[in-house]
Amino acid sequence: MRKLVSLSSFVFTAFFVLAFFPISAEAATIRFSPSSTSVRSGEIFSVSLLVSSTDRAMNAADGEIHFPTDLLQVVSMSKTSSIMSLWVEEPTFSNSNGTAKFAGTVLNPGFTGGSGTMITISIRAKKPGTATITVNGSQVLANDGLGTNILSGALPSATFTIT
């Protein structure tokens, strides 16, 4: 009987806590825009890396973007319309390694919103094929004074069909 009372007390307490004190996700996600498109060989096009952090203010992010060097060539990286105002490391790219890197911060009170541009990359399509770009090792840090990584979900990719 004692075990039954303890179990029912536990279930009641758990129900009460979850019903009246919901757990908030407090997470950020990142994505490419556009996430897919068709371009012609030789064409220069732009792709932006966006952050969404609607539950909790973020104040820093970094990451490394990878691209296939046989199909794509980065022409430039722009921080002009970025939500980040201070750069821990200036955005850089290497066409020989197929990488583009960024690391920046947002001034207090941080960024809260559904679609903040972190970086925009201008890319040249080199030859016909299907090219996928990905993000590896990215972080989105909360404006909590602790540097809590609030990035959740799968890291994004974008696919470009080159004709």
Side-chain angles (χ1 to χ4, degrees), residues 23-28 55:
I23 298 169
S24 131
E26 295 186 345
D55 297 335

Side-chain angles (χ1 to χ4, degrees), residues 5 30 34 40 55 76 84 124 127 132 142 157:
V5 171
I30 56 176
R40 286 180 268 126
D55 297 335
S76 65
M84 296 187 208
R124 180 186 323 277
K127 67 179 186 178
T132 300
S157 64

Side-chain angles (χ1 to χ4, degrees), residues 38-42 127-129 161-163:
S38 293
V39 295
R40 286 180 268 126
S41 182
K127 67 179 186 178
T161 303
I162 306 166
T163 57

Side-chain angles (χ1 to χ4, degrees), residues 3 15 28 31 61 66 77 80 86-87 93-94 125 130 137 157 159:
K3 285 184 182 180
F15 173 76
R31 65 182 171 86
H66 292 258
M77 293 178 71
T80 303
L86 294 174
W87 293 88
F93 62 90
S94 168
T130 301
S157 64
T159 303

Side-chain angles (χ1 to χ4, degrees), residues 35-37 39 45 66-73 123-134 157-162:
S35 60
S36 67
T37 193
V39 295
F45 63 99
H66 292 258
F67 58 93
T69 59
D70 59 327
L71 297 173
L72 301 176
Q73 174 186 23
I123 301 171
R124 180 186 323 277
K126 293 170 74 173
K127 67 179 186 178
T130 301
T132 300
I133 63 173
T134 59
S157 64
T159 303
F160 307 104
T161 303
I162 306 166

